[in-house]
Amino acid sequence: PSVVAFQALPLQQQLRLVFSTTTNCPDVRSTAAIRTVLAFSDTSVPVVGGHWEPGCKALRLLLAGGTSWFAARPSVMTVQILESGKLRDHHEVSYPASGAS
């Protein structure tokens, strides 16, 4: 899978990532779990948890600190899929993803 959309949702205090295919839904319930799957160019991103949308093609990341982080965020931020997170397609037959968006 690769990231095909990366959205900031300040009113919901979330970031939303949409992938190119349905994924195997690795654990993203904690900060530590998310940091195993994803790396952000802005290391100050206050991610505290996440959840997969139905179908496991989109991921919502929950942010701490209200909307203040969005007001001060960088104009450009990238997210990288880390091999250690073992994000695969839903059949778990794809090679480890290592793309950035």
Side-chain angles (χ1 to χ4, degrees):
S2 59
V3 176
V4 295
F6 186 36
Q7 301 169 306
L9 306 170
L11 296 178
Q12 291 98 347
Q13 300 176 15
Q14 298 178 358
L15 296 175
R16 182 173 184 260
L17 284 76
V18 179
F19 295 91
S20 58
T21 187
T22 304
T23 72
N24 62 337
C25 300
D27 180 27
V28 292
R29 293 174 290 185
S30 69
T31 301
I34 291 166
R35 301 252 185 226
T36 300
V37 177
L38 303 170
F40 300 92
S41 60
D42 178 358
T43 58
S44 73
V45 176
V47 177
V48 295
H51 67 271
W52 291 97
E53 292 182 5
C56 294
K57 192 172 177 180
L59 171 63
R60 290 196 179 229
L61 302 174
L62 312 174
L63 305 183
T67 59
S68 61
W69 180 82
F70 287 98
R73 76 181 188 276
S75 59
V76 174
M77 183 173 69
T78 61
V79 61
Q80 179 181 4
I81 300 169
L82 301 174
E83 187 173 335
S84 60
K86 299 184 176 156
L87 180 67
R88 308 282 195 282
D89 65 18
H90 70 285
H91 297 295
E92 296 194 12
V93 295
S94 62
Y95 289 105
S98 61
S101 176

